[in-house]
Amino acid sequence: MNDCLFCKIIAGDIPSTKVYEDEKVYAFRDINPQAPTHVLVIPKKHVASVAAVDELDDADLAACLRACRLVAQSEGLTEKGFRVVSNCGDDACQSVKHLHFHVLGGRQMGEQMA
């Protein structure tokens, strides 16, 4: 999509701090981190959110989840734990309408999700 922020990041038109990349997925540091480690994992194919996940094939979706694990591992989060979150829609405060997973860690997370 021409006007999608994350598509522009994937294309290299907007700079980012890359953490991981393969043929299906791109992961980069969030510019407004909510935890000591906050990485966004996005599919290279544009899909708006989890609500539109049927537009991805199973391999693309699996690649996103595997990338979340690889990012957590490379960031040293797997021993103590990490959180993976995907906001879906306006009420969930999804600010960029491109499917993305937040990989958060590096501190004790709160017990409540909301």
Side-chain angles (χ1 to χ4, degrees):
M1 292 198 65
N2 293 339
D3 62 341
C4 174
L5 174 68
F6 288 172
C7 288
K8 290 178 182 179
I9 288 172
I10 292 166
D13 298 334
I14 295 175
S16 66
T17 304
K18 179 171 68 171
V19 174
Y20 174 82
E21 182 176 17
D22 64 26
E23 65 279 352
K24 295 181 178 293
V25 175
Y26 187 78
F28 58 100
R29 299 206 183 279
D30 194 295
I31 62 169
N32 185 25
Q34 304 299 304
T37 299
H38 188 167
V39 176
L40 300 178
V41 175
I42 61 176
K44 289 185 175 178
K45 179 180 177 185
H46 181 87
V47 175
S49 71
V50 170
V53 80
D54 287 346
E55 296 174 27
L56 284 179
D57 63 31
D58 291 346
D60 288 334
L61 185 55
C64 287
L65 295 177
R66 284 189 187 95
C68 289
R69 179 191 53 84
L70 290 170
V71 164
Q73 186 175 20
S74 72
E75 296 291 312
L77 302 176
T78 54
E79 185 176 316
K80 290 202 142 212
F82 60 97
R83 182 172 285 169
V84 176
V85 177
S86 185
N87 301 324
C88 185
D90 293 336
D91 281 356
C93 297
Q94 182 183 3
S95 58
V96 178
K97 304 303 190 243
H98 184 121
L99 176 64
H100 57 286
F101 298 91
H102 300 259
V103 178
L104 301 148
R107 66 167 168 83
Q108 174 69 48
M109 298 291 169
E111 288 188 26
Q112 292 189 341
M113 295 292 296

